[in-house]
Amino acid sequence: MVRTAALVAAAAAMLLNDVHAESLYSKKSSVLQISGVDYDRLIAKSNYTSIVEFYAPWCGHCKNLKPAFESAAKSLAGIAKVAAVNCDEEMNKPFCGQMGVQGFPTLKIVRPTKRVGKPSVEDYQGQRDAKSIVEAVKDKIPNAVKRVTDKKLDEWLESAGDGAKAILFSEKGLVSATMKTLAVDFAGLISLAQIRNKEAASVQKFGIKKFPTLILLPAGSSEPIVYDGEMKKEPMVAFLSQVAPPNPDCPPAKAKKTKAKKDTKKESKSSSKLSKASASHKSANASSAAASATDETVEEPIKATESPAANLKDGDAPEPVALPVETPKPTIPVLVESSQLQASCLNVQSKTCILAIIPKDESSEAATSVLASLASIHHKHDKRGSQLFPFVGVSASNPLASSILSGLSLGKEDDVHLIATNGKRSWYKKYSGKNFGQTEVEKWVDALRMGEGKKEKLPDNLLAAAKKVEAKEEKKAEDDVKIEIEEIVDDTPKHGEL
Ligand SMILES: *[C@@H]1O[C@H](CO)[C@@H](O)[C@H](O)[C@H]1NC(C)=O
Ligand SMILES: *[C@@H]1O[C@H](CO)[C@@H](O)[C@H](O)[C@H]1NC(C)=O
């Protein structure tokens, strides 16, 4: 064996990480599962306040937090977004780093500011039970509901002008999270105010008999329409929607995924795509009906249902788990086992991969140069948060190395050979340059991403049969996304600005 045991283990671990980065939350979970790529649109540009958990599936404290977090998500449905990012997924790692995540789980409350897409982000340091989380998030929801007294009523009516207005008459002075969220949903469409029962002149002016009562004054009208439904988010949204449909909470998803989506089987394999799809679905729901119903009433503060496991006392407050040590220089795995190579790139399900076949003399200039070029190209894309297919080195000691060389008639064993493979579509493309510097290699990679370059038929005998990899393939779901980029032009949001 040419490589040291440690390097081999590191390479294998990287690969396994990729393959087994399973999500902690199920697809049905009320927690919105997002990737670093989704964050910008679904959270940073949302008008809603969010709490985002950064976790790793293997972390014990993350597992302990799960029931409380899911319960918080249910309580906050329609009021705030509750999302989770799996930092163990290769594609999310740079994003988690940028967000300053240093241990798991890390909870951050993200709330919109006046500057769209530049939310304020702060760590949640409170107790990790559902009720504390729910209260902390509600506390952060910006309030655009004006509290109006008798003295100020005319002034407010005037300032709101001819536009539609809604007033909640209440025994309470505090503005509930539901009302705050209604103000977000109808920002720019309806001016919202809250008036207490003791403001006798206002109460009399609108003929209010009981509390709470919500009235709507359509544009240009002083004739109030009285709401007679329950003080719950969803029916209240429906009532106010007679003026105008609520604002979308976040920008719509880009309609770009279509091309790669024809193959539904492929789609179902790609859980990351799925989570994206379901995220946009959820947010579509959230925006259309301004999110789902909740049991919250305007007058009663919500009692978050606490799951038993969520009762962490002060004493056993979870210590964040340290993140795995960052490798100082970007590297790519150099695989020595044929099974690793088959699982990652050479099977009938695998999508585009880039393989650098390394000669026995791994310290040769070409070998070090190609590995360094590939690593820094991949690193660059990771940092941008853009997805890229796997880059893998194939050690000369890998039994498949010589099969590839002879099967594809690549030439001498002493040279470096750079190829792109696609097991599913059964093609490969050769890098014909002699120079493995970053600029040259990157040109070739970019051309590949655009679908350019001459395809040749990949011999079937180089690909592991489907059965052998099927089990792994299921688990590999998230990983597929990175491999699947071929047809997708790079317009993923950049996270540099975060
Ligand atoms: C957010 O709120 C503004 C009004 O403040 C509204 O115009 C916009 O449509 C809402 N949604 C998004 C995604 O910005
Ligand atoms: C969206 O709403 C529809 C109908 O209201 C419902 O069937 C569907 O399950 C919802 N989807 C999500 C992701 O909440």
Side-chain angles (χ1 to χ4, degrees), residues 45 47 116 184 187-188 247-251:
K45 292 198 173 115
N47 283 345
V116 175
V184 172
N247 295 317
D249 87 78
C250 60

Side-chain angles (χ1 to χ4, degrees), residues 234 277-286 288 292:
E234 197 180 34
S278 83
S280 53
H281 192 166
K282 264 184 200 166
S283 70
N285 276 7
S288 64
S292 43

Side-chain angles (χ1 to χ4, degrees), residues 57-115:
W58 44 259
C59 133
H61 293 311
C62 303
K63 291 179 193 155
N64 293 342
L65 173 65
K66 182 181 164 181
F69 204 59
E70 291 196 305
S71 163
K74 286 197 186 102
S75 300
L76 289 169
I79 291 184
K81 288 183 162 182
V82 178
V85 181
N86 181 351
C87 293
D88 212 25
E89 260 190 52
E90 218 43 65
M91 63 181 281
N92 290 337
K93 280 181 183 171
F95 170 65
C96 295
Q98 274 162 27
M99 293 298 284
V101 173
Q102 295 186 328
F104 300 127
T106 291
L107 295 172
K108 289 180 188 281
I109 296 181
V110 182
R111 66 184 212 147
T113 62
K114 296 239 152 61
R115 295 164 67 209

